[in-house]
Amino acid sequence: MSARLKAGVLGATGAVGQRFVQLLAGHPWFELVALAASERSAGKSYAEAVSWRLDVPLPAAAAGLPVRPTEPGLECDIVFSALDAAVAGPIEEAFAKAGYAVLSNARNHRMAEDVPLLVPEINADHAELIAVQKKRRGWKGFIATNPNCSTATLTLALAPLDRRFGITSVAVTTLQAVSGAGYPGIPSLDILGNVVPFIAGEEEKIERETRKILGKRSGDAVTFHPMVVSAQTTRVPVVDGHTASVFVSLDTKADLEGVREAFRTFSGPPQQLGLPSAPAHPTVLFEAPDRPQPRLDINVEHGMATLVGRVRPCDLMGWKFIALGHNTIRGAAGAAILNAELLKAKGMI
Amino acid sequence: MSARLKAGVLGATGAVGQRFVQLLAGHPWFELVALAASERSAGKSYAEAVSWRLDVPLPAAAAGLPVRPTEPGLECDIVFSALDAAVAGPIEEAFAKAGYAVLSNARNHRMAEDVPLLVPEINADHAELIAVQKKRRGWKGFIATNPNCSTATLTLALAPLDRRFGITSVAVTTLQAVSGAGYPGIPSLDILGNVVPFIAGEEEKIERETRKILGKRSGDAVTFHPMVVSAQTTRVPVVDGHTASVFVSLDTKADLEGVREAFRTFSGPPQQLGLPSAPAHPTVLFEAPDRPQPRLDINVEHGMATLVGRVRPCDLMGWKFIALGHNTIRGAAGAAILNAELLKAKGMI
Amino acid sequence: MSARLKAGVLGATGAVGQRFVQLLAGHPWFELVALAASERSAGKSYAEAVSWRLDVPLPAAAAGLPVRPTEPGLECDIVFSALDAAVAGPIEEAFAKAGYAVLSNARNHRMAEDVPLLVPEINADHAELIAVQKKRRGWKGFIATNPNCSTATLTLALAPLDRRFGITSVAVTTLQAVSGAGYPGIPSLDILGNVVPFIAGEEEKIERETRKILGKRSGDAVTFHPMVVSAQTTRVPVVDGHTASVFVSLDTKADLEGVREAFRTFSGPPQQLGLPSAPAHPTVLFEAPDRPQPRLDINVEHGMATLVGRVRPCDLMGWKFIALGHNTIRGAAGAAILNAELLKAKGMI
Amino acid sequence: MSARLKAGVLGATGAVGQRFVQLLAGHPWFELVALAASERSAGKSYAEAVSWRLDVPLPAAAAGLPVRPTEPGLECDIVFSALDAAVAGPIEEAFAKAGYAVLSNARNHRMAEDVPLLVPEINADHAELIAVQKKRRGWKGFIATNPNCSTATLTLALAPLDRRFGITSVAVTTLQAVSGAGYPGIPSLDILGNVVPFIAGEEEKIERETRKILGKRSGDAVTFHPMVVSAQTTRVPVVDGHTASVFVSLDTKADLEGVREAFRTFSGPPQQLGLPSAPAHPTVLFEAPDRPQPRLDINVEHGMATLVGRVRPCDLMGWKFIALGHNTIRGAAGAAILNAELLKAKGMI
């Protein structure tokens, strides 16, 4: 692992694109060399093209990079896709066909049978689908995806319980941050002092993606987890951090200490392999009765963990608790980078 | 009903007390003649004692009333109690003993066996407990209560389904406004751009009060509804309006149109009796996919209805939907006033 | 004044257009009969075309009106223009040429020499420019304008002082609500928990429009007021209500009681003529040390007054105070309607 | 400077106290060894006593420290005072008398003739008042103060202009964050979606402290700067970061490039001495037309600089611009720590 892999970002000027640029600055394994965005930005430097919205400065190494068209020809080995779903499908396929490792945050290919939907602590072995994909499609490169932002938070909270007790069913209500809708995203007139009890397409993503992620790989395919997942999603006036109120039924009997220990001790390949972006604890259990809270806790583990609190028995479903995750880090850019680190460590990139 | 009943407000300077003063101004059946508050305010006029926080002007008729001690001696027939639970218990008992009709928003007596916990569209007949209470306690007056703010919203959304299909179980997550915590209440540093996933005592209230309200009166007592209710409650940066994400299982088979019709056609004694504060529709069904929303919809039916939207089947529980209610009107002061109107119409005051 | 004048709204689906529709519903002098918007909405009913964002229901009388193209041919006498400045110029001219009375909220014609920029309490006589305009342009109809939202608030706070003491100079900092930017307007990611210290073009409008409004009509023209006005404008996370921090120098000596009396007693033609939308007091003086506040006070006088507070001497400029106004009512739709009422009362429509 | 000085924090559990604990963790010159707070917290560990409200974790080294009474006896050389003004006066005097170097953020002693009110980039020589103070009062220790939070931001924006051009007068309007009022501080019901145009005592502090800080030391005293300062202060729904809208008149003629250069090149003893907490640039000039903004820019220079933007001529006062500073870092705890570093570097501690 002497030389760093050359990396590019597709859709680099958007909200998730900016997180990729931030997180890749100074990355030990990946060197950010190419930034691509829509034609509007062509010919400009990244600093000129981007309306930088993060509360940390634009990394100097990225500021001067020219913005390139979002098409193969970028001089790099790996591309991180922050493309909008409206255009991501064919563009990502073109890159994969041209030999790039495509780590995508877009929803377009997540549910394809031969595309892994990875949360490395949970289903690192789903990466084996890449070989199936390359063979089936005749591609030199490939596409690997990370889940939707709220699903990312939820699955890291469910996996510890599923691994130890089995999960039968989940009823979840989310309270999602505005950064999850990108920029410009939600108009301020819609959300100031308000709750919008609807996010288009979000519930379907949570209900399907969760079952694929927690599913079992058998040969060339993933068998979805049989759990029933039902979601209601809302938008709240929070900048970063999706909160989830979770009710869950387990397959087997559990006691409070066992459930808490499941959260506290959960770990997986990223921790074992010491991946650079891996949180020490992918699930962090809070003891205080009123935590986790997005504004106070979202940066725990650099935004790469799901924070769990208020774990307690539920007369109806068995157990209930609160989960919180950073939607543009573990829920988007950080997730794709962790996936790339996993594939690199496995020798698949 | 020629002459108006004379009415007083206990705890008149607090957040709920102010709503009582606002809603009683110009009330056709009740004349606001007495305002009582803690000793700090004694000897002042109401205008001097109160830090008026509503976005409508302090009613002129109330401004000049002297603030009296919260003890029997007020020259009125009925008192509305906005007292804090820390002191409400014995004070309300003293007033009832002294012959006053006490309409209380405090939690202290709600669960007492001989105290009605009224939502007049749902359980107007529970008012018969008042006779039991007077007899058992030897009081000339009585105490009647309205539910906790989030329970008020929830029960008006559950009753239409329970009446028509029967309810087996409910999993509810609330997103509650800051006005629900009174004034000064929630520090701004706690809630600006944040979600606090905990409200002390709130889940227990929802889980118990709902079952009493929807319970059946048999003789001198109320048999609790057998449904299982499980709640998680959160605070969000909204001024007024508690949102609830509800998952519900029904006893009998229902189809979407039947469920929708149950909400649309729900009605009860307040509507039949034409009570002055009764909403035309205690449950208002929204068709738009992203409604109801607190900032836009909270004043529908003058804050006296529960607003329901996004009604749809749920793979797990059967049905799911969003409910919204005005926490300081139908969830507090307006509820107590509607209770008083019911009792007046029934000749019980 | 037996029959009501027929009125239309141009740009009826936008934020200000919606306020026009709300305020014209049931207006005693004007009957809302025509709604026009961009081609996107053509052929739809208003209820279908609009994304209604106000916290009061869409008026039933407007819901079923067909949305018409924004071009002459509407069957009405008067049109209220809520058009975007990008398109308002030629469209308003076409309507005026075709004989309509055009009451415009757009900035395009405000500074034209022969177009009145009216605040009826201040410069009702500027309406005489309409005759000049019709003659000079050979139009059957005309254009009359109201000021920019922050200027509307500011001028009603300055006029009482100017009339009594004369004003030499003004330094003003505004804290403006997001509704002032229309819909979708300000992205939530830009303004949640934030201040944006810049509003494009706003400072220039305040600095110029104020001097025209407070200017003197002499013959066919208005001589601008010689005062110096300097502004800094900011956007804050408030829904409705522009706050202004004002420092002002007077031409003549004043004492505190005189300044306060000037605010308290200010009045003009709308009050004398009893115009339907006229506030009883166009300037309302607050005594409490921490008022006016947008969320609590914005609906005083139905949003048609400027609220003034914290009036006190200033070592530097002479006087300083806080002013607050409702930016989409007195700062936009309500202002244009009051202008129309003035012209109707003067027999100019 | 081999061994670190032992340091304590008075009022350690409050909002500013927490910032001291955060900023002192791992400080190269000061070792945090003692935490003192009110009697309520006595006998608890800091982790038990504090309701930690910062979005970074409580430093491990502080968590286990016992909370001590706020009275001399702490085993340290220097105490940082985050005490409330209601109690700070005599307590700080007792510590100074007992030989401690007291670096105070409280307002109580700021205006005392023999107490330095330090902004080290501006008036490091005012530290000479310490010798006067010790002599006059017969104390072994001393008290040195930093300014009020909004004054800290303002003076760093004025000093570059005053040094180069001289300042005649200043009109400033502030938009202040809620963290400036401590915890619990501002109730959420007061500030959500609102502006409160008043902060008790704040305007007086800005008007007086600014003139002392920019004043000249002559012998044993400081002669106040003759500039006239007039302020209006408001509270806005922002967590951290005070914005100031500044109008300023200069003594001598300036051009835009000269004014900009004054901001860009401003520097002082902290930079020359390389103090650990010194920002590289105490005044940072922004070029973008809509910056600085609190949520995006507040952490530039680790919160230790004043950020300046929108610098331009003003027809009335000569110049106008926007300034922004982190109110609990450079406006409170960070300021006191920088003062301590200055005194340590000068050999005065």
Side-chain angles (χ1 to χ4, degrees):
Chain A
M1 277 190 213
S2 53
R4 295 195 290 171
L5 279 174
K6 294 193 185 309
V9 174
L10 310 181
T13 55
V16 172
Q18 294 183 26
R19 275 285 180 213
F20 272 119
V21 169
Q22 177 208 348
L23 297 175
L24 288 170
H27 192 282
W29 293 3
F30 308 127
E31 182 187 3
L32 182 60
V33 299
L35 296 171
S38 65
E39 302 200 355
R40 249 193 342 272
S41 304
K44 297 180 185 169
S45 72
Y46 185 63
E48 289 163 351
V50 75
S51 170
W52 187 258
R53 310 305 306 163
L54 301 182
D55 61 1
V56 290
L58 200 171
L65 289 179
V67 176
R68 306 276 301 275
T70 48
E71 55 192 31
L74 306 180
E75 287 164 6
C76 57
D77 312 294
I78 181 172
V79 292
F80 294 97
S81 168
L83 291 170
D84 191 89
V87 301
I91 294 176
E92 294 180 352
E93 290 173 19
F95 272 92
K97 197 170 176 183
Y100 294 84
V102 179
L103 277 294
S104 172
N105 183 57
R107 69 161 187 266
N108 307 61
H109 300 285
R110 282 182 197 144
M111 301 308 291
E113 214 177 49
D114 58 355
V115 172
L117 178 55
L118 294 171
V119 178
E121 284 90 347
I122 302 175
N123 65 358
D125 67 308
H126 289 203
E128 305 300 330
L129 290 182
I130 289 173
V132 180
Q133 181 192 139
K134 291 171 90 162
K135 187 172 164 194
R136 189 176 296 174
R137 307 199 186 198
W139 288 350
K140 285 180 292 177
F142 64 85
I143 298 171
T145 64
N146 57 276
N148 168 50
C149 49
S150 47
T151 308
T153 298
L154 180 63
T155 51
L156 280 175
L158 295 180
L161 302 181
D162 189 49
R163 189 178 289 179
R164 190 148 171 170
F165 306 106
I167 290 181
T168 312
S169 57
V170 179
V172 60
T173 297
T174 63
L175 298 81
Q176 302 190 206
V178 297
S179 62
Y183 185 84
I186 314 289
S188 52
L189 271 174
D190 281 347
I191 200 68
L192 270 176
N194 203 16
V195 169
V196 178
F198 176 67
I199 302 173
E202 192 81 358
E203 293 159 4
E204 294 78 358
K205 288 181 210 165
I206 294 174
E207 292 170 1
R208 286 182 314 185
E209 294 179 13
T210 298
R211 297 179 54 227
K212 178 170 181 179
I213 293 164
L214 292 166
K216 279 217 172 66
R217 187 178 58 89
S218 49
D220 287 3
V222 168
T223 305
F224 281 30
H225 192 293
M227 69 171 64
V228 179
V229 181
S230 183
Q232 297 214 78
T233 55
T234 74
R235 190 78 67 185
V236 292
V238 164
V239 174
D240 287 317
H242 288 356
T243 299
S245 165
V246 186
F247 298 81
V248 62
S249 294
L250 303 180
D251 292 337
T252 59
K253 200 171 163 52
D255 63 12
L256 181 57
E257 192 37 45
V259 168
R260 291 165 53 83
E261 192 184 309
F263 285 124
R264 270 198 311 260
T265 60
F266 182 64
S267 182
Q271 288 70 41
Q272 291 145 19
L273 296 166
L275 302 183
S277 302
H281 298 278
T283 311
V284 175
L285 184 65
F286 280 66
E287 307 293 335
D290 61 351
R291 303 295 269 264
Q293 298 178 14
R295 216 191 62 234
L296 296 180
D297 301 319
I298 201 65
N299 293 317
V300 170
E301 292 280 10
H302 302 98
M304 287 298 289
T306 283
L307 317 175
V308 173
R310 305 203 64 217
V311 178
R312 60 208 193 283
C314 164
D315 286 346
L316 177 55
M317 300 275 290
W319 298 92
K320 53 187 172 182
F321 59 87
I322 297 294
L324 169 68
H326 196 305
N327 53 297
T328 66
I329 298 182
R330 188 60 196 241
I337 293 172
L338 187 65
N339 285 353
E341 292 169 1
L342 175 77
L343 299 182
K344 165 83 173 149
K346 285 187 167 217
M348 299 175 78
I349 304 185
Chain B
M1 278 192 214
S2 53
R4 293 194 291 170
L5 280 174
K6 293 194 188 308
V9 175
L10 309 182
T13 54
V16 171
Q18 295 184 25
R19 277 284 179 209
F20 273 119
V21 170
Q22 177 207 350
L23 296 175
L24 289 169
H27 193 281
W29 294 2
F30 307 127
E31 183 186 3
L32 183 59
V33 299
L35 297 171
S38 64
E39 301 199 355
R40 246 191 346 269
S41 305
K44 297 180 184 170
S45 72
Y46 186 63
E48 289 164 351
V50 74
S51 171
W52 188 258
R53 309 304 307 163
L54 301 183
D55 60 1
V56 291
L58 200 170
L65 291 178
V67 177
R68 306 276 300 277
T70 47
E71 54 191 33
L74 306 180
E75 288 165 3
C76 56
D77 312 293
I78 179 170
V79 292
F80 294 97
S81 167
L83 292 170
D84 192 87
V87 301
I91 294 177
E92 294 179 354
E93 290 174 18
F95 273 92
K97 197 171 178 183
Y100 294 82
V102 178
L103 277 294
S104 172
N105 182 59
R107 71 159 186 267
N108 307 60
H109 299 287
R110 283 183 197 143
M111 301 307 293
E113 213 175 52
D114 58 356
V115 173
L117 177 55
L118 294 171
V119 179
E121 286 89 346
I122 303 176
N123 65 359
D125 68 307
H126 290 202
E128 305 300 330
L129 290 182
I130 289 173
V132 181
Q133 181 192 139
K134 292 171 88 162
K135 187 173 166 195
R136 188 176 299 174
R137 307 201 187 197
W139 286 350
K140 286 180 293 177
F142 64 86
I143 298 171
T145 63
N146 57 276
N148 168 49
C149 48
S150 47
T151 308
T153 297
L154 180 65
T155 51
L156 279 174
L158 295 179
L161 301 181
D162 190 49
R163 186 177 292 179
R164 190 147 172 171
F165 307 105
I167 289 181
T168 313
S169 56
V170 179
V172 60
T173 298
T174 63
L175 298 83
Q176 301 190 207
V178 297
S179 62
Y183 184 83
I186 314 289
S188 52
L189 270 175
D190 281 347
I191 200 66
L192 269 176
N194 203 15
V195 169
V196 178
F198 176 68
I199 303 173
E202 192 81 358
E203 292 159 4
E204 295 77 358
K205 288 181 208 164
I206 293 174
E207 292 169 1
R208 288 182 314 187
E209 294 179 12
T210 297
R211 297 180 52 226
K212 178 169 180 180
I213 293 164
L214 291 166
K216 280 219 172 63
R217 187 178 57 89
S218 47
D220 288 1
V222 168
T223 307
F224 281 28
H225 193 293
M227 69 172 67
V228 179
V229 180
S230 182
Q232 298 214 77
T233 56
T234 74
R235 190 76 70 185
V236 292
V238 164
V239 173
D240 287 318
H242 288 356
T243 299
S245 164
V246 186
F247 298 81
V248 62
S249 294
L250 303 179
D251 290 339
T252 60
K253 198 169 163 51
D255 62 13
L256 180 57
E257 193 36 45
V259 168
R260 291 164 54 82
E261 193 184 307
F263 285 124
R264 270 197 313 258
T265 60
F266 181 65
S267 182
Q271 288 70 40
Q272 291 145 20
L273 296 166
L275 302 183
S277 302
H281 299 278
T283 311
V284 176
L285 184 65
F286 279 67
E287 307 291 336
D290 61 350
R291 305 292 272 265
Q293 296 178 15
R295 216 191 62 235
L296 297 180
D297 301 319
I298 202 64
N299 292 318
V300 170
E301 292 280 9
H302 305 287
M304 286 299 287
T306 283
L307 317 176
V308 172
R310 303 203 68 216
V311 179
R312 60 207 192 285
C314 164
D315 286 345
L316 177 56
M317 300 275 289
W319 298 93
K320 53 186 172 182
F321 60 85
I322 297 294
L324 169 68
H326 196 304
N327 53 297
T328 66
I329 298 182
R330 188 62 198 241
I337 292 172
L338 187 66
N339 285 353
E341 293 169 0
L342 175 77
L343 299 182
K344 165 82 173 148
K346 285 187 167 217
M348 300 173 78
I349 305 186
Chain C
M1 280 190 215
S2 53
R4 294 195 290 170
L5 279 174
K6 292 192 189 311
V9 174
L10 310 182
T13 54
V16 172
Q18 295 183 27
R19 276 286 180 209
F20 273 119
V21 170
Q22 177 208 348
L23 296 176
L24 289 170
H27 192 282
W29 294 3
F30 308 127
E31 182 186 3
L32 182 59
V33 298
L35 297 171
S38 65
E39 302 199 355
R40 247 193 344 270
S41 304
K44 297 179 183 169
S45 72
Y46 185 63
E48 289 164 351
V50 76
S51 170
W52 188 258
R53 310 303 308 162
L54 301 182
D55 60 2
V56 291
L58 199 170
L65 290 179
V67 176
R68 307 277 299 276
T70 47
E71 54 192 32
L74 306 179
E75 288 163 5
C76 57
D77 312 294
I78 180 171
V79 291
F80 293 97
S81 167
L83 292 170
D84 192 89
V87 301
I91 294 177
E92 294 180 353
E93 290 174 18
F95 272 92
K97 196 171 175 183
Y100 294 84
V102 179
L103 278 294
S104 172
N105 183 58
R107 70 161 187 265
N108 306 61
H109 300 287
R110 282 182 198 145
M111 301 308 291
E113 213 175 52
D114 58 356
V115 172
L117 177 55
L118 294 170
V119 179
E121 285 89 347
I122 303 176
N123 64 359
D125 67 307
H126 290 203
E128 305 300 330
L129 289 182
I130 289 173
V132 180
Q133 181 193 138
K134 291 171 89 162
K135 186 172 165 192
R136 189 177 297 175
R137 306 200 188 198
W139 286 351
K140 285 180 292 177
F142 63 85
I143 298 171
T145 64
N146 57 275
N148 167 51
C149 49
S150 47
T151 308
T153 297
L154 180 64
T155 52
L156 280 174
L158 295 180
L161 301 182
D162 190 48
R163 187 178 290 178
R164 191 148 171 172
F165 307 106
I167 290 182
T168 313
S169 56
V170 179
V172 60
T173 298
T174 63
L175 298 81
Q176 302 190 206
V178 297
S179 63
Y183 185 83
I186 313 290
S188 52
L189 270 174
D190 281 347
I191 200 68
L192 271 175
N194 203 15
V195 169
V196 178
F198 176 67
I199 302 174
E202 192 82 358
E203 293 160 4
E204 294 79 358
K205 288 181 209 164
I206 294 174
E207 293 170 0
R208 287 182 313 185
E209 295 180 11
T210 298
R211 296 179 55 227
K212 177 170 182 180
I213 294 165
L214 292 166
K216 280 217 173 65
R217 188 178 57 87
S218 48
D220 288 2
V222 168
T223 306
F224 280 30
H225 193 293
M227 69 172 64
V228 179
V229 181
S230 183
Q232 298 214 78
T233 57
T234 74
R235 190 77 69 185
V236 292
V238 164
V239 174
D240 287 317
H242 288 356
T243 300
S245 165
V246 186
F247 298 80
V248 62
S249 294
L250 303 180
D251 291 338
T252 59
K253 200 170 162 52
D255 63 11
L256 180 57
E257 193 36 46
V259 167
R260 290 165 53 84
E261 192 184 308
F263 285 124
R264 270 198 312 260
T265 61
F266 182 64
S267 181
Q271 288 70 40
Q272 291 145 19
L273 296 166
L275 302 183
S277 302
H281 298 278
T283 311
V284 176
L285 184 66
F286 280 67
E287 308 291 336
D290 61 350
R291 303 295 270 265
Q293 297 178 13
R295 216 191 61 235
L296 297 179
D297 301 319
I298 202 64
N299 293 318
V300 169
E301 293 279 9
H302 302 98
M304 287 298 289
T306 283
L307 318 175
V308 173
R310 305 204 65 217
V311 179
R312 60 209 193 284
C314 165
D315 286 345
L316 177 55
M317 300 275 290
W319 297 93
K320 52 185 173 182
F321 60 85
I322 297 294
L324 169 68
H326 196 305
N327 53 297
T328 67
I329 298 183
R330 188 62 197 241
I337 293 171
L338 187 66
N339 285 352
E341 293 169 0
L342 175 77
L343 300 182
K344 165 84 172 148
K346 286 186 166 216
M348 299 174 77
I349 304 186
Chain D
M1 277 192 214
S2 52
R4 295 196 290 170
L5 280 174
K6 293 194 188 306
V9 174
L10 310 181
T13 55
V16 171
Q18 294 184 25
R19 276 284 179 211
F20 273 118
V21 169
Q22 177 207 349
L23 297 175
L24 289 170
H27 192 283
W29 294 3
F30 308 126
E31 183 186 2
L32 182 60
V33 299
L35 297 171
S38 64
E39 301 199 356
R40 250 193 339 272
S41 304
K44 297 181 184 168
S45 71
Y46 185 64
E48 289 164 352
V50 75
S51 170
W52 188 257
R53 311 302 309 162
L54 301 183
D55 60 1
V56 292
L58 200 172
L65 289 178
V67 176
R68 307 276 300 277
T70 47
E71 55 192 31
L74 305 180
E75 288 163 5
C76 55
D77 312 294
I78 179 171
V79 292
F80 293 97
S81 168
L83 291 170
D84 192 88
V87 301
I91 295 177
E92 294 180 354
E93 290 174 18
F95 273 92
K97 197 171 176 182
Y100 295 82
V102 179
L103 278 294
S104 172
N105 182 58
R107 71 160 186 266
N108 307 59
H109 300 287
R110 283 183 198 144
M111 300 308 291
E113 213 174 51
D114 58 355
V115 173
L117 177 55
L118 293 171
V119 179
E121 285 88 347
I122 302 175
N123 65 358
D125 67 307
H126 290 202
E128 305 300 331
L129 290 182
I130 289 174
V132 181
Q133 181 192 139
K134 293 171 88 162
K135 186 173 166 194
R136 189 177 297 174
R137 307 200 187 199
W139 287 350
K140 285 181 293 176
F142 64 86
I143 297 172
T145 63
N146 56 275
N148 168 50
C149 49
S150 47
T151 308
T153 297
L154 181 64
T155 51
L156 280 175
L158 295 180
L161 301 181
D162 189 48
R163 186 178 291 178
R164 190 147 171 171
F165 307 105
I167 290 182
T168 313
S169 57
V170 179
V172 60
T173 298
T174 62
L175 298 82
Q176 301 189 207
V178 298
S179 62
Y183 185 84
I186 314 288
S188 53
L189 271 174
D190 281 347
I191 200 67
L192 270 176
N194 204 15
V195 169
V196 179
F198 176 67
I199 303 173
E202 192 82 358
E203 293 160 3
E204 295 78 359
K205 287 182 209 163
I206 293 174
E207 292 169 1
R208 288 182 312 187
E209 294 180 12
T210 298
R211 297 179 54 226
K212 178 169 180 180
I213 293 164
L214 291 166
K216 280 217 172 65
R217 186 177 58 87
S218 47
D220 287 3
V222 167
T223 306
F224 280 29
H225 193 293
M227 69 171 66
V228 179
V229 181
S230 183
Q232 298 214 77
T233 56
T234 75
R235 191 77 69 186
V236 292
V238 164
V239 174
D240 287 317
H242 288 357
T243 300
S245 164
V246 186
F247 298 81
V248 62
S249 294
L250 303 181
D251 291 338
T252 58
K253 199 169 163 53
D255 62 12
L256 180 57
E257 192 36 45
V259 168
R260 291 165 53 81
E261 193 184 307
F263 285 123
R264 270 198 312 259
T265 59
F266 182 65
S267 182
Q271 288 70 41
Q272 290 145 21
L273 295 166
L275 301 182
S277 301
H281 299 278
T283 311
V284 175
L285 183 65
F286 280 66
E287 307 291 335
D290 61 350
R291 305 294 270 265
Q293 297 178 14
R295 217 192 60 237
L296 297 180
D297 300 319
I298 201 64
N299 292 318
V300 169
E301 292 279 10
H302 302 98
M304 287 298 288
T306 283
L307 317 176
V308 173
R310 304 203 67 217
V311 179
R312 60 208 193 283
C314 164
D315 285 347
L316 177 55
M317 300 274 289
W319 297 94
K320 53 186 173 182
F321 59 87
I322 297 294
L324 169 68
H326 196 305
N327 53 296
T328 66
I329 298 183
R330 187 62 197 242
I337 293 172
L338 187 66
N339 285 352
E341 292 169 1
L342 175 77
L343 300 181
K344 165 81 173 148
K346 285 187 167 220
M348 300 173 78
I349 306 185

